Amino acid sequence: MNAIIPLAGPDFIHPRFGIRPLVEVEGEPLVRRAITGRPWWRDGTLGPADLVFVLRDVPEARTVQGFLQVWFPGSRALLLSDLTGGALLSALAGTALLSRPAAPVCVDLVDILYDGPAMAGLFADPAVGGVLPCFPSDEPCYSYAEIAADGSVVRTVEKRVISSHASAGTYLFRDAPLFLRAAAHSLEHADALAHKGALFLCPAMNGVIAEGLRVLPVPVGNVRPVSKSFAEPAGKDADA
């Protein structure tokens, strides 16, 4: 598996907490705690060399880069010169450094902690193009998925409650080519899918569905929404 971690958003530096990826959560810096707690890290499907970090070229990013190389030796990182049009576009930049484009791609916003089941083998079915970890909620600060009677996702939206299935902030795609096509779908339908002018990850799952592939919702538990601690004092939506 590959993983892209977009950290290039306007909230990289929080006015109260400082450098957001380095804020201590459950005894560890947030970015490290989130990545090493994911089921694909714990089962060895994802390793340090499979990680691509996307940051914005600000002085604090150099500090974060230094820590990332220590915690995740062999990982890759790139610096963007400016803000992008949303987390989806930041993640797109990371595809340039993927070590295995034919392997599944996880885009992880690393702002929600959770416990989840093993997910190895979910792409064994060629009809499955995406996997969306979800948890129960009715708060509009999250993204949501509408689930069909057959248990697959039929629609996803950003920051709008259309069901009780909230996204846990991690998005798994069958491979890099499919992720790129899903991103292209968001760009082509930006009028309907953008939120406050920005393109996010969850609506990109509509692009997977448009390809005729299934998106599977996977329930996760013990959810700790770290993003709420950052977003509420700052008065803005989480971005990357």
Side-chain angles (χ1 to χ4, degrees):
M1 178 185 285
N2 308 281
I4 300 172
I5 317 297
L7 301 172
D11 54 1
F12 179 73
I13 307 296
H14 192 280
R16 186 149 68 103
F17 298 106
I19 303 175
R20 176 170 164 155
L22 302 185
V23 173
E24 186 170 306
V25 177
E26 298 181 0
E28 293 184 81
L30 172 59
V31 64
R32 183 179 181 183
R33 179 69 186 88
I35 291 171
T36 59
R38 302 304 191 214
W40 38 88
W41 179 275
R42 292 183 178 277
D43 68 12
T45 302
L46 181 75
D50 303 317
L51 296 167
V52 176
F53 296 93
V54 181
L55 302 107
R56 188 159 43 95
D57 194 4
V58 295
E60 294 85 354
R62 304 289 181 175
T63 300
V64 173
Q65 270 191 294
F67 284 115
L68 294 176
Q69 280 300 311
V70 173
W71 298 331
F72 307 109
S75 63
R76 299 167 172 84
L78 58 88
L79 296 173
L80 302 177
S81 64
D82 208 338
L83 289 170
T84 70
L88 174 64
L89 301 184
S90 297
L92 274 180
T95 61
L97 296 183
L98 293 178
S99 58
R100 294 178 294 155
V105 175
C106 171
V107 183
D108 194 337
L109 301 182
V110 296
D111 61 358
I112 298 177
L113 304 180
Y114 60 80
D115 298 334
M119 299 190 192
L122 287 177
F123 289 110
D125 182 350
V128 175
V131 175
L132 185 63
C134 296
F135 65 98
S137 183
D138 60 0
E139 297 184 68
C141 58
Y142 302 117
S143 307
Y144 284 84
E146 181 181 348
I147 312 299
D150 69 353
S152 61
V153 175
V154 293
R155 181 168 64 116
T156 55
V157 300
E158 189 71 26
K159 307 295 188 293
R160 187 154 53 91
V161 182
I162 59 171
S163 73
S164 60
H165 303 279
S167 164
T170 45
Y171 305 92
L172 285 74
F173 300 83
R174 169 172 286 279
D175 52 32
L178 179 59
F179 173 55
L180 293 174
R181 295 197 299 274
H185 179 274
S186 284
L187 287 165
E188 290 167 353
H189 299 85
D191 287 349
L193 298 180
H195 174 71
K196 295 185 178 180
L199 290 172
F200 292 81
L201 269 303
C202 195
M205 285 295 172
N206 292 297
V208 176
I209 297 165
E211 291 278 316
L213 297 169
R214 297 184 69 201
V215 174
L216 301 180
V218 175
V220 297
N222 190 24
V223 176
R224 288 93 78 203
V226 182
S227 57
K228 289 180 65 177
S229 301
F230 295 124
E232 289 172 1
K236 61 185 177 181
D237 295 317
D239 194 354

